[in-house]
Amino acid sequence: DAKTTQPTSMDCAEGRAANLPCNHSTISGNEYVYWYRQIHSQGPQYIIHGLKNNETNEMASLIITEDRKSSTLILPHATLRDTAVYYCIVRVANSGYALNFGKGTSLLVTP
Amino acid sequence: DVKVTQSSRYLVKRTGEKVFLECVQDMDHENMFWYRQDPGLGLRLIYFSYDVKMKEKGDIPEGYSVSREKKERFSLILESASTNQTSMYLCASSLPDRNTIYFGEGSWLTVV
């Protein structure tokens, strides 16, 4: 799996967009970018993933740069319930069963 | 929405007891997993199953066994619980890509 780098923590005001960056400069052509989050005392939650194109679902948008060396997860209107640790993971499909979540970014959404 | 349901949210068991953690998923996923999560150690894979009656060891299988008799159900068994198995246990199921993983809410097990 390609190595990822995320900021340790970020703050965001409620109602504003939260933009969470992830660097993955060693990503290879067949590796996808996955985002998960974990709210305190709960199991991790899948958010979104992508290969090359930008993706959007009901939870978030994923913007991947053209060179694929970095990406940004966007929560368009952050709420207090979005306070969580966000993990960026880069992997090929069907590469194994053990996900390495790393340390992630701790996002605090404030009133 | 995918739903992975773990039968018990909080359990307290005595050392030496046999413990069963049950998990059910409703999305007809072939892949199911059991992880444990501990502070500073992150998420560690105990066992996974890619089909009914099929199982493979993860990174830390010692002291655990699993059972997958039906596609939707994956059970984790602690044959003789020990205090170092106090942890949060997470069940999950995934799409065929193995990376789009849906987790349950977790089971907090305390062994005393």
Side-chain angles (χ1 to χ4, degrees):
Chain A
D1 300 346
K3 179 177 163 53
T4 61
T5 304
Q6 299 178 252
T8 303
S9 62
M10 295 181 64
D11 291 347
C12 177
E14 190 177 18
R16 300 280 189 158
N19 297 286
L20 294 100
C22 180
N23 285 318
H24 31 78
S25 58
T26 61
I27 192 170
S28 59
N30 60 348
E31 286 184 310
Y32 290 74
V33 180
Y34 290 82
W35 282 85
Y36 283 81
R37 73 179 182 184
Q38 189 168 20
I39 296 169
H40 182 62
S41 296
Q42 295 184 20
Q45 180 184 23
Y46 164 77
I47 301 172
I48 198 167
H49 75 279
L51 182 63
K52 295 181 185 177
N53 301 321
N54 299 335
E55 302 287 344
T56 295
N57 63 20
E58 64 280 1
M59 288 183 67
S61 295
L62 173 60
I63 308 297
I64 302 174
T65 58
E66 195 168 336
D67 64 9
R68 302 209 323 124
K69 293 185 176 183
S70 66
S71 59
T72 301
L73 179 75
I74 301 173
L75 308 177
H77 306 286
T79 70
L80 299 180
R81 286 178 295 180
D82 292 322
T83 292
V85 180
Y86 288 77
Y87 299 96
C88 170
I89 301 166
V90 172
R91 280 166 69 92
V92 297
N94 296 311
S95 62
Y97 291 101
L99 274 183
N100 179 5
F101 276 69
K103 296 193 184 303
T105 297
S106 179
L107 174 69
L108 177 64
V109 181
T110 56
Chain B
D1 274 358
V2 176
K3 190 117 175 104
V4 177
T5 304
Q6 296 183 227
S7 57
S8 305
R9 191 90 167 97
Y10 300 98
L11 307 94
V12 179
K13 297 292 182 181
R14 296 194 181 276
T15 301
E17 271 193 81
K18 192 168 186 175
V19 180
F20 292 87
L21 298 178
E22 307 285 346
C23 174
V24 177
Q25 52 99 357
D26 66 359
M27 280 302 291
D28 203 36
H29 288 163
E30 290 177 350
N31 300 316
M32 293 191 75
F33 313 81
W34 275 104
Y35 290 87
R36 64 178 280 180
Q37 188 171 34
D38 302 285
L41 297 176
L43 215 60
R44 293 182 291 169
L45 181 65
I46 304 171
Y47 267 98
F48 61 88
S49 168
Y50 50 90
D51 203 349
V52 175
K53 296 193 187 294
M54 306 304 290
K55 61 186 180 187
E56 289 203 22
K57 295 179 180 178
D59 299 321
I60 51 163
E62 296 79 20
Y64 304 95
S65 62
V66 290
S67 172
R68 185 124 180 245
E69 296 296 320
K70 293 184 178 182
K71 192 173 187 179
E72 67 272 17
R73 190 177 295 270
F74 193 35
S75 304
L76 180 70
I77 303 149
L78 286 67
E79 297 290 343
S80 177
S82 64
T83 54
N84 63 11
Q85 292 178 310
T86 292
S87 185
M88 179 164 88
Y89 290 87
L90 288 159
C91 176
S93 69
S94 84
L95 295 176
D97 71 354
R98 305 182 194 172
N99 296 332
T100 309
I101 298 180
Y102 298 90
F103 287 86
E105 289 211 331
S107 297
W108 291 87
L109 172 66
T110 301
V111 182
V112 298

